Every structure is written in C-alpha cells, then in structure tokens.
C-alpha cells in the first residue's frame, strides 16, 4: 500500500499530542495535562476537561491524568485520520510497542474490504509510561438517530487501573479549598463530585472555574433521573 504521510493528513495539534504523550510530562498531573495540551495547540473550552482543535475534541481528566480525542465525520475522512495516527506511531520507532488482539488494521488501505467483513478492535501501543489506544467505527444506528463515523484516540497512564481510581472525597475537598485554578477547573467536571462541592465551585472567584461548574450543573439538571 502507499505510505501514509501523517503530517499531510493530521492537524499539527494531533501530531504534537502524540509527541507529547509521556507519563512524566503530559500525564504527570492536572497542570502538566492542561499545559501540555495548550502547548500542543489545543484550546480549552468552558466545560471542565474539554479542549478543541481543528474540528477535533478532547475530553480529559486529572485523576488519573488521561484523555480521549474524538473525530466525527465521513467514513473515508475518519479512516484516513485513523490510519495516519497509526502511521505516526509506527514512525515513532522503538518508542512504541503495538499490541492488539484483533486484526492489525493499521496497514490496510481506506478502501480495504476487510473494514466491512472483519470485526475491528482497538489498536494498543505502549511506551514512555503511557498506553495509546485507537479505535474507529463506521456510521451506525443509535436509538432513533444515527451515530456518524468516528474515531477515538485514548492516552492514559500505564499504571492507572483498568477500573480507574477510587473516589477520594478528601482530595476533592482539598482541591476545592486550596487547589490551583487548573485543578479546580478539572474538579468541576469530576465524576462523583458532590453537589456541595459543585456549589462551592459555582461561586469560585475565578471565572473559568465558576463557568465550568455552571456548565456541569446544567448537564446534571438536563440528565434523566433514574
């Protein structure tokens, strides 16, 4: 197949993200994550942990530090981007080790018939103390609507348990009271955050924190209750 040139396909922010993926820098802590994403060309949004660049979106968390980047669109565009990400990681040489249980679709072409006949699994690379996972799917039915073709690029610390970190209410209270602006911004959208601490963050003196908390409150109010 023709070699894919990642730099001709992927935005600089995505390539820079792959270059920055390291447990000691990008995924060190909340500050390292926010600074690393900003330096790579991603713009923070109002919602806690969310960044955007060139039509791509990132959802990130500070505890444990990790992120997922998403791209939706035409299946050809999405597959081309996914193959370019895989090529960029292959170009990284011995920095990355590939391990996947399913077909290694990173070497396919966009039009390869196996996209339609094989069951696609995550491709997983490890190195530099992190795990990089890549998945893509075509358009599919989702309830009454249609989910567009999409890819997900996840970057997590290799030492993070598969089930994630246990809730730490003492840490949440400490961060809400004396954490940095970046830590409080991340805390506003942290899963399991109590209504009491969310209210405190809604009244935060820093506008970025209070706006993120207000956005999280709207999401909670709009979510269906069981």
């Amino acid at each position: 197949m023709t070699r894919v040139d990642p730099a001709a396909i992927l935005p600089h922010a995505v390539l820079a993200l792959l270059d920055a993926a390291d447990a000691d820098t990008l995924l060190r802590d909340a500050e390292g994550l926010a600074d690393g994403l900003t330096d790579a060309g991603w713009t923070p949004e109002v919602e806690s942990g969310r960044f955007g660049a060139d039509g791509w979106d990132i959802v990130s968390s500070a505890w444990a530090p990790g992120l997922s980047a998403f791209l939706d669109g035409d299946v050809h565009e999405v597959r081309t981007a996914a193959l370019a990400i895989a090529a960029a990681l292959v170009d990284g040489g011995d920095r990355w080790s590939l391990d996947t249980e399913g077909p290694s679709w990173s070497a396919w072409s966009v039009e390869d018939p196996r996209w339609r006949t094989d069951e696609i699994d995550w491709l997983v690379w490890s190195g530099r103390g992190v795990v990089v996972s890549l998945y893509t799917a075509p358009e599919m039915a989702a309830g009454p609507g249609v989910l567009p073709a999409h890819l997900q690029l996840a970057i997590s610390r290799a030492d993070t348990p598969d089930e994630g970190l246990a809730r730490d209410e003492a840490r949440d209270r400490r961060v809400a009271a004396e954490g940095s602006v970046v830590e409080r911004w991340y805390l506003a959208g942290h899963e399991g955050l109590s209504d009491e601490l969310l209210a405190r963050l809604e009244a935060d003196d820093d506008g970025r924190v209070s706006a993120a908390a207000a956005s999280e409150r709207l999401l909670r109010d709009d979510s269906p209750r069981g």
Side-chain angles (χ1 to χ4, degrees):
M1 63 172 290
T2 303
R3 183 190 177 279
V4 174
D5 180 8
I9 296 169
L10 298 172
H12 169 77
V14 176
L15 291 172
L17 174 63
L18 296 174
D19 287 339
D22 190 296
D24 296 328
T25 51
L26 180 68
L27 300 190
R28 183 187 69 244
D29 53 25
E31 302 287 348
L33 186 52
D35 289 346
L37 288 173
T38 302
D39 291 345
W42 295 85
T43 301
E45 300 180 356
V46 172
E47 294 86 352
S48 169
R50 291 183 177 267
F51 293 77
D54 300 296
W56 292 63
D57 297 295
I58 277 181
V59 177
S60 62
S61 173
W63 300 285
L67 63 92
S68 283
F70 299 92
L71 175 68
D72 296 343
D74 173 79
V75 67
H76 186 279
E77 173 192 9
V78 168
R79 285 178 183 165
T80 298
L83 292 171
I85 291 172
L89 292 168
V90 170
D91 289 348
D94 59 6
R95 289 183 299 173
W96 301 107
S97 175
L98 174 62
D99 178 25
T100 181
E101 296 182 359
S104 185
W105 48 264
S106 61
W108 297 356
S109 70
V110 173
E111 303 299 337
D112 194 300
R114 287 173 291 183
W115 289 108
R116 296 185 293 276
T117 59
D118 290 17
E119 184 173 348
I120 306 304
D121 200 356
W122 290 81
L123 298 184
V124 180
W125 289 264
S126 58
R128 297 188 282 187
V130 304
V131 175
V132 179
S133 306
L134 179 63
Y135 181 76
T136 184
E139 181 180 276
M140 60 184 65
V146 175
L147 183 66
H150 60 278
L151 70 78
Q152 179 177 353
L153 169 68
I155 304 177
S156 59
R157 290 183 60 95
D159 57 6
T160 299
D162 291 342
E163 67 275 13
L165 298 182
R167 290 180 57 184
D168 188 338
E169 294 185 8
R171 179 206 58 217
D172 291 351
R173 292 184 178 280
R174 183 174 64 254
V175 170
E178 56 190 42
S180 68
V181 171
V182 169
E183 288 176 321
R184 301 196 312 273
W185 180 69
Y186 268 112
L187 181 63
H190 192 54
E191 185 176 0
L193 185 68
S194 70
D195 283 341
E196 172 197 349
L197 290 185
L198 182 60
R200 177 185 294 186
L201 295 172
E202 286 179 288
D204 197 281
D205 290 338
D206 189 279
R208 184 177 173 186
V209 176
S210 60
S215 178
E216 176 65 19
R217 179 71 70 186
L218 286 174
L219 287 174
R220 292 189 182 189
D221 290 345
D222 289 342
S223 296
R225 301 182 183 277

